Amino acid sequence: MNADSSSPAKQPSPTAENGQPDIVLECQQVSHWFGDNKVLNNVNLRIARGQIVALVGPSGSGKSTLLRAILGTHPPKSGQVVMDGAPYRKPHRDRGIVYQRYSLFPFLTAEENVAFGPMLDQTSIPFRVFQFPKWRAQRADQLRQAGELLDQVGLGHAKRKYPSELSGGMCQRVAIAQALIMRPKLLLLDEPFGALDESTRESLQLMLLHLYQENIDARAKHQPEPHTILIVTHELNEALYVSDRILGLSQYHQGGSEGATIVYDKPAPIFQPHEERDHVRFNQQKEMLLKSVFSDEFIQHHSEFVSFWSEVASERQQLSH
Amino acid sequence: MIRQPISGSWRAGLGLASILLVMLLYTALASSRQRTARREQQEVAQTRLSELEEQRVDLQRDLETARAETDQTSRERGVEQAESGLQRNAEETEKFEALRDQPTKVDRTVPSWSMLLQDGLIRACTPQGAFERKEIWLVEDFKATGLRLLTSLLVGILCSVVIGLLMGCLDPVDAFLMPPFTFFSKVPATAVLPIFFVVIQINFSMYVAIIVFGMLPSLAQAISASVRKDVPEELIFKAYTLGASQFELIADVIFKKVLPRILDAARLQIGPALVLLVAAEWMVAGEGIGYRLRLFYQRTDMTVVFVYVFLLGVIGLVVDYALIWARRKLCPWFGE
Ligand SMILES: Nc1ncnc2c1ncn2[C@@H]1O[C@H](COP(=O)(O)OP(=O)(O)OP(=O)(O)O)[C@@H](O)[C@H]1O
Ligand SMILES: [Mg+2]
């Protein structure tokens, strides 16, 4: 099931230095409903620092609802979401989001969009008004940082352009840079590439792989991984390609009439940015996903596909022996 | 043909043609009006002349009967009377013949171009008045009205922006202000003028109050609707995840997003505000454009009126373009 284990650098390692998983986010018995429409049913979920998790599921299963609950804009009606040990019910600068649309502020240039977070986060309106000279110096610094980040995502030439002048793919790159500059503890992406054509999509997936590579590099230097990402997508190939862990959210489980829950949770194959995209490697897991998440074949036994943490644990045992 | 674009020169040509046509029509109207006025004068003179002719014949007869009188004293008195009558008749006839042959009447209801220039523009631009302190009407009037308009636009737009943003962002404010605003935006502001005249006396702040009353309900509602419609919730959530405070959300996100709408909505309010102001001035002012229009209306003298109307149109156009330009400068992201 898991990808090749030939290269140790490619091994998913959701563990901190002490061997215990460093859990960033935890959903505890999260349920949500809209009137009679029961959407989420007792979702339990832990995400460790450095993971790139793909969330898949049938349309309308509640992926966006779960994401909004985790973001904090729409807290769950029952259960709670916890970040670094603290429950919360509000959005916060520690949790970034990229939506499919409307992620950018249309009245700001690409550069200003990216620098917008630091501005809001580090300064207040009174400071910007009453200490204008200081603010200008700080602003120049923020814009420079934003520019550097845009260079990194390959948009150095479009810094001064407004979102309406950018293509859909460029907009999403800017939106990701805008979220990354905040160094969020968790970055949420809700079908970020859903409206893009195939080749643009692939180049953006590559960008996510580069982020994962940064995680691996940090891990090698025994530093905390910089990026923890939860990405919702309806494209299974994409999910398998960019993530190191796949979650299936679906109503196809025993309590399905009460709403969807996590019915699939397994490691995903890991690719390096320069590697050939080998779809054959996907096929086995894709079939499994289709059966367990998108059809009702395994309603009785869905729990056997929720095995991520036990697989991690047994792997760790093997390593220590 | 339908929705088929035409070339730039065609467009300019047609535009020029319509302007020329309007000027031509005005010229025709003015000259026909002047001609009618002359003809009326000729007719009046002609009628009087025929009356005088009848009178002369009568007087002639009187003279002859007087000469035939036997009594000397009564003969002399009769002849003298008739002769002086004939002389007066001749003088008057001469005057009316001159009027008939060269009518001098000027009509100021549809003035000719030269009258517009002489009695309108030049009169309005040169110091006028019987007293020591002479004033230039154009300057005085446009200054008075302009000051009233600018002040009230400033106050009105500022209040509308603050209230509109609050209504759009905070449901309680919306619930509280919606009923009166919906009602007052339907009341024609001109109908409320007498109430203002009486309640706030006639002074500068009254004009400001009238215009603010006229624009605030609809402008605030337009802004609040734009806040609700044009700011996707994603942007608001996004701003929160970037660490925005409530106030920053309003000032740095929502305000900036709806700014082009505010500018457009405010631009559309300038016309109605001017209508209201000129109407109020017409009724009660002692200076200003409306006041001058009333004075000349009472003399059926349209020379200055036409000049003022034309200038108002020009100013309206200039202000309109200035605001469109401001929107392009302030919101380059908004497009056309
Ligand atoms: N604001 C809302 N009010 C009422 N019902 C809602 C609301 N938002 C979502 N729902 C319902 O909740 C269910 C889950 O919606 P959600 O958007 O989370 O699904 P999803 O998995 O993201 O679907 P998709 O893949 O199409 O994006 C749907 O049945 C939807 O109709
Ligand atoms: Mg969705």
Side-chain angles (χ1 to χ4, degrees):
Chain A
M1 166 88 27
N2 205 342
D4 57 342
S5 42
S6 53
S7 147
K10 293 182 184 178
Q11 211 48 10
S13 155
T15 55
E17 290 301 293
N18 59 9
Q20 284 305 305
D22 178 12
I23 301 299
V24 177
L25 179 97
E26 187 166 2
C27 293
Q28 297 169 345
Q29 301 288 98
V30 165
S31 299
H32 201 86
W33 56 90
F34 299 99
D36 287 341
N37 182 6
K38 293 176 174 136
V39 180
L40 297 178
N41 176 18
N42 287 339
V43 175
N44 287 299
L45 169 65
R46 289 185 301 157
I47 295 179
R49 200 175 312 280
Q51 287 183 340
I52 296 200
V53 184
L55 178 63
V56 299
S59 183
S61 61
K63 303 182 293 295
S64 298
T65 308
L66 180 60
L67 220 63
R68 286 198 288 261
I70 293 174
L71 186 63
T73 55
H74 300 72
K77 293 224 168 117
S78 109
Q80 63 175 358
V81 204
V82 179
M83 176 165 269
D84 280 339
Y88 60 85
R89 297 179 71 77
K90 277 197 170 81
H92 188 264
R93 50 103 48 236
D94 281 345
R95 295 178 288 277
I97 176 89
V98 174
Y99 294 104
Q100 184 174 340
R101 300 185 306 150
Y102 305 130
S103 267
L104 295 180
F105 300 93
F107 46 85
L108 299 176
T109 60
E111 189 178 45
E112 290 168 340
N113 257 294
V114 178
F116 200 46
M119 174 184 118
L120 294 172
D121 193 38
Q122 295 163 12
T123 66
S124 64
I125 291 179
F127 172 80
R128 299 201 285 269
V129 173
F130 296 117
Q131 292 183 276
F132 187 69
K134 257 192 198 171
W135 159 234
R136 274 199 29 182
Q138 202 174 341
R139 175 70 169 166
D141 202 44
Q142 290 171 353
L143 283 174
R144 190 184 42 74
Q145 272 179 33
E148 280 168 14
L149 201 56
L150 281 175
D151 285 334
Q152 274 177 39
V153 299
L155 284 178
H157 58 284
K159 282 176 197 162
R160 299 276 149 74
K161 292 211 164 126
Y162 286 98
S164 57
E165 301 166 306
L166 301 176
S167 71
M170 290 158 100
C171 278
Q172 291 308 76
R173 274 173 200 270
V174 177
I176 291 173
Q178 181 189 44
L180 284 180
I181 201 170
M182 302 294 285
R183 306 187 177 285
K185 289 182 178 169
L186 176 65
L187 174 58
L188 302 164
L189 307 169
D190 193 352
E191 301 198 19
F193 316 141
L196 306 180
D197 64 82
E198 196 54 38
S199 65
T200 315
R201 218 180 154 110
E202 277 177 17
S203 70
L204 276 153
Q205 290 165 1
L206 217 56
M207 191 176 145
L208 291 185
L209 283 196
H210 278 290
L211 295 183
Y212 192 70
Q213 207 60 37
E214 287 177 26
N215 276 354
I216 292 173
D217 295 346
R219 207 177 295 150
K221 291 187 222 155
H222 301 284
Q223 288 167 347
E225 294 100 329
H227 307 297
T228 310
I229 299 177
L230 176 61
I231 173 172
V232 170
T233 173
H234 59 249
E235 177 68 56
L236 288 184
N237 286 330
E238 178 172 282
L240 288 160
Y241 183 59
V242 302
S243 71
D244 64 351
R245 174 183 174 189
I246 292 207
L247 289 172
L249 182 75
S250 167
Q251 54 275 58
Y252 300 125
H253 63 105
Q254 275 141 324
S257 59
E258 295 295 306
T261 198
I262 302 290
V263 298
Y264 186 100
D265 183 358
K266 278 181 181 294
I270 292 164
F271 291 84
Q272 288 191 310
H274 55 83
E275 256 178 300
E276 194 64 29
R277 193 185 288 237
D278 177 7
H279 286 246
V280 182
R281 274 162 72 188
F282 294 162
N283 281 346
Q284 195 191 3
Q285 194 166 3
K286 232 168 105 180
E287 237 159 71
M288 190 89 69
L289 272 168
L290 284 174
K291 280 184 189 158
S292 61
V293 181
F294 293 90
S295 82
D296 52 5
E297 261 181 65
F298 294 107
I299 280 196
Q300 299 297 322
H301 314 286
H302 77 268
S303 52
E304 71 183 67
F305 298 102
V306 185
S307 59
F308 180 81
W309 290 110
S310 55
E311 279 183 42
V312 169
S314 66
E315 214 169 83
R316 203 181 309 137
Q317 260 178 358
Q318 275 174 15
L319 279 174
S320 60
H321 281 308
Chain B
M1 272 308 276
I2 292 170
R3 307 214 59 181
Q4 195 81 157
I6 54 172
S7 75
S9 46
W10 253 103
R11 180 164 285 281
L14 284 175
L16 207 66
S18 87
I19 292 175
L20 284 178
L21 189 68
V22 168
M23 290 173 74
L24 206 72
L25 280 177
Y26 180 83
T27 314
L29 194 67
S31 70
S32 100
R33 189 77 200 105
Q34 300 304 327
R35 247 185 288 118
T36 317
R38 297 230 168 90
R39 186 147 22 83
E40 274 166 8
Q41 196 182 21
Q42 279 172 337
E43 273 162 20
V44 169
Q46 192 57 59
T47 323
R48 185 72 189 127
L49 279 175
S50 40
E51 274 171 25
L52 286 171
E53 177 60 23
E54 277 171 30
Q55 204 185 359
R56 196 187 60 79
V57 173
D58 283 353
L59 284 170
Q60 202 69 47
R61 194 167 339 102
D62 284 354
L63 184 65
E64 264 145 45
T65 30
R67 280 199 182 123
E69 197 75 48
T70 45
D71 177 41
Q72 185 172 1
T73 32
S74 64
R75 185 180 63 219
E76 277 171 7
R77 191 153 33 94
V79 168
E80 196 181 331
Q81 217 171 32
E83 274 179 344
S84 72
L86 273 173
Q87 188 168 356
R88 262 183 280 123
N89 181 287
E91 279 167 16
E92 212 176 333
T93 306
E94 201 173 322
K95 211 172 79 197
F96 275 95
E97 269 171 354
L99 264 187
R100 184 194 58 195
D101 298 336
Q102 241 165 8
T104 54
K105 174 128 187 247
V106 275
D107 178 283
R108 294 185 191 275
T109 52
V110 187
S112 66
W113 292 105
S114 63
M115 287 157 80
L116 280 180
L117 184 70
Q118 277 297 329
D119 302 346
L121 192 60
I122 292 178
R123 187 153 50 138
C125 290
T126 47
Q128 302 283 328
F131 308 106
E132 193 70 353
R133 206 181 69 80
K134 293 179 189 267
E135 51 184 29
I136 301 174
W137 293 340
L138 207 65
V139 174
E140 298 291 319
D141 293 340
F142 278 77
K143 204 168 71 187
T145 302
L147 200 63
R148 287 168 186 153
L149 186 69
L150 271 182
T151 314
S152 35
L153 282 180
L154 220 65
V155 174
I157 292 176
L158 213 68
C159 291
S160 305
V161 167
V162 171
I163 295 177
L165 284 176
L166 288 178
M167 280 172 78
C169 295
L170 305 172
D171 265 17
V173 178
D174 183 60
F176 184 73
L177 291 178
M178 204 55 171
F181 276 24
T182 321
F183 178 76
F184 283 122
S185 66
K186 296 287 173 281
V187 175
T190 38
V192 193
L193 286 180
I195 302 175
F196 278 97
F197 297 159
V198 171
V199 174
I200 327 182
Q201 311 303 321
I202 292 151
N203 54 30
F204 186 79
S205 58
M206 180 201 70
Y207 296 105
V208 177
I210 289 172
I211 296 179
V212 171
F213 173 86
M215 70 191 298
L216 184 68
S218 48
L219 188 54
Q221 276 187 318
I223 293 173
S224 133
S226 167
V227 168
R228 278 162 200 272
K229 190 167 60 71
D230 297 327
V231 186
E233 57 174 13
E234 282 93 338
L235 280 192
I236 294 173
F237 300 150
K238 182 92 204 192
Y240 279 133
T241 70
L242 296 177
S245 66
Q246 301 278 326
F247 196 61
E248 282 176 317
L249 184 64
I250 296 181
D252 286 327
V253 177
I254 295 175
F255 174 70
K256 288 189 181 154
K257 180 79 210 322
V258 298
L259 183 59
R261 303 266 173 221
I262 292 177
L263 289 177
D264 268 356
R267 189 165 62 88
L268 294 181
Q269 289 295 330
I270 291 176
L274 200 51
V275 168
L276 209 52
L277 181 57
V278 170
E281 285 180 341
W282 174 286
M283 291 177 216
V284 293
E287 56 177 354
I289 295 172
Y291 160 76
R292 189 72 57 199
L293 294 181
R294 184 182 75 225
L295 280 191
F296 279 85
Y297 159 73
Q298 284 166 351
R299 300 185 204 160
T300 34
D301 181 347
M302 294 297 117
T303 48
V304 174
V305 172
F306 271 111
V307 170
Y308 273 40
V309 166
F310 178 74
L311 283 178
L312 281 173
V314 170
I315 290 175
L317 273 179
V318 169
V319 170
D320 217 39
Y321 277 103
L323 274 167
I324 292 177
W325 177 84
R327 195 198 62 201
R328 284 202 193 124
K329 276 282 145 197
L330 288 174
C331 316
W333 54 277
F334 191 69
E336 291 315 295

